[in-house]
Amino acid sequence: MDTPSDPSAHAAAPGHAVAAPTAAFKRKLRPVLMLVALLFVSYTAWQLAIRWQESPNVNLNLWFLSLSLLPLVLATFLQGRAWLFVIERLAGHRVPRGKALALYFDSQLARYAGKLGLPVVRMAGASAIETTGPLVGASIALEMLSWLAVGGAVGFGLSWGAGTLERLSVLHTWGTPLAFGCSLVLLLALLLLPAQRYPKAAQRLLNGDPRLALIAPQAPVYQFLYWLSWAGHGALLARALGADVNIAIQASGLFPLATVAGFIVLVTPGGLGMREAVLALGLTPTLGASAALVLSILSRASSLLAEVLVWGAARLMLRRGPEA
């Protein structure tokens, strides 16, 4: 995450030297990712069109649909708690947790306005939680790395074990165990490598103990529970559309994978389109094209509703009570 620096500070010059190539690389990578996303979504639409007539009518079980919202509400809260441990490790002190969670949920909704919405909102509120913008920026980068590593491990692990990847030929290759292994290696590096082993420029951002790892162990634990909650949401939503227990279990691993894929593309707000494409493509062989498409849309609507509900609850609690 590029962070603004003080022009009068001579120490900031190396940061600009690093930031410029990074920004240029992002600009060059964005069209490639956009093309990949467009091709994948187009391929999914073509597959759905072919199989649409073969699909049975969609019957929706409102009981399972209502239940599927609960894991997402829990997941949203767990995600915020995970970030608290990241920012507190970097800051070296406990932050006002009520304000920090409210800021976190504000930024989660802001990402739907564009990819920069999340960091801009969170960094703008840094002083309210007794820290700095650059530190919050570093926490976002670390949080996302851990989030991706745990999500990749859970998504690929569940899908691999349940045999779901056999229906996604693009993922059912030698790349699956490689992606699973890379997720675990990244996670272990964040958990085990002390901050003092990182470049001096990165260490200057940190106020915590340099002998500690950059990520506190509580953060990936909460993120692991977050991704399991997403898997539970997927299983319940599949049941709401008529899937039996075995198919629901197989579907569960696709939801972490689809969410990670939507984030990696970095093109549309909140991964809009890419996440739905992965879900629809993976679930069409068992649920039918129409049910798979309805499921992907319901999942998007449910995740947005869960974030709004948690955001509202956090704001209400912050007004009524003292800091947690």
Side-chain angles (χ1 to χ4, degrees), residues 313-322:
R315 282 291 165 187
L316 186 61
M317 292 177 65
L318 186 59
R319 286 184 179 182
R320 288 186 173 181

Side-chain angles (χ1 to χ4, degrees), residues 141-152 178-193 198 215:
L142 288 174
E143 176 204 6
M144 289 298 101
L145 284 174
S146 178
W147 184 84
L148 287 171
V150 178
L178 178 63
F180 180 74
C182 288
S183 297
L184 292 179
V185 169
L186 174 59
L187 182 59
L188 289 174
L190 292 171
L191 282 171
L192 301 178
L193 196 62
Y198 287 83
I215 292 285

Side-chain angles (χ1 to χ4, degrees), residues 9 23 39 46 78 122 128 156 161 163 187 204 216 230 288 290 292 295 310 322:
L39 290 174
W46 174 58
L78 291 170
R122 212 178 297 179
F156 277 108
L187 182 59
R204 283 196 292 269
W230 262 99
S290 54
L295 180 145
V310 174

Side-chain angles (χ1 to χ4, degrees), residues 83 87 93 95-96 99-100 103 122 125-131 136:
W83 178 67
I87 189 64
H93 60 82
V95 300
K99 290 182 179 179
L103 175 64
R122 212 178 297 179
S127 60
I129 60 171
E130 301 172 7
T131 182
V136 170

Side-chain angles (χ1 to χ4, degrees), residues 255-268:
F255 283 77
L257 282 183
T259 306
V260 168
F263 175 84
I264 290 176
V265 171
L266 293 175
V267 176
T268 57

